[in-house]
Amino acid sequence: MDRKKYTPQFKADAVELVITSKRPIAQYAVDLGINEGTLGNWVRAWREEHPEDETEGRGPVEWAKYQALQAENAELKREIEFLGKISAFFAAKQR
């Protein structure tokens, strides 16, 4: 049996559904076509990693967006640093 691969966004959306509603995990698992245990593991893992977020109204989708923005920010910082080094190199070469 092949194991399905789920994107981080899919997982975040699925966990968000469970956390923001009153429906049981089993119903969402059927609706989403995934194993109930798998969805339960995702929800449990998210709750363990973010105990304060549920009480403050932040969910897994917001967390996934935050992580994506952090990664993008780090990449942009590396690009800016690289461009600064390249421009300094060419400025020194023109002298």
Side-chain angles (χ1 to χ4, degrees), residues 35-54:
N35 183 290
E36 179 182 346
T38 300
L39 181 55
N41 288 338
W42 297 345
V43 171
R44 181 180 37 74
W46 187 85
R47 284 182 170 149
E48 287 173 359
E49 291 177 15
H50 309 92
E52 71 288 346
D53 288 348
E54 257 189 285

Side-chain angles (χ1 to χ4, degrees), residues 4-87:
K4 290 184 181 179
K5 298 282 184 185
Y6 299 100
T7 65
Q9 186 62 48
F10 178 83
K11 291 178 183 181
D13 289 339
V15 171
E16 180 87 6
L17 284 172
V18 172
I19 289 176
T20 60
S21 76
K22 302 293 184 211
R23 289 176 57 196
I25 290 174
Q27 281 186 316
Y28 282 113
V30 170
D31 293 347
L32 297 170
I34 58 178
N35 183 290
E36 179 182 346
T38 300
L39 181 55
N41 288 338
W42 297 345
V43 171
R44 181 180 37 74
W46 187 85
R47 284 182 170 149
E48 287 173 359
E49 291 177 15
H50 309 92
E52 71 288 346
D53 288 348
E54 257 189 285
T55 59
E56 294 178 14
R58 292 188 300 256
V61 171
E62 287 83 10
W63 181 251
K65 288 177 184 177
Y66 171 77
Q67 289 179 314
L69 288 171
Q70 290 293 90
E72 181 182 4
N73 191 33
E75 178 64 25
L76 291 172
K77 284 180 179 180
R78 286 190 294 274
E79 288 177 12
I80 289 170
E81 184 179 314
F82 174 75
L83 291 173
K85 290 178 181 178
I86 292 296
S87 63

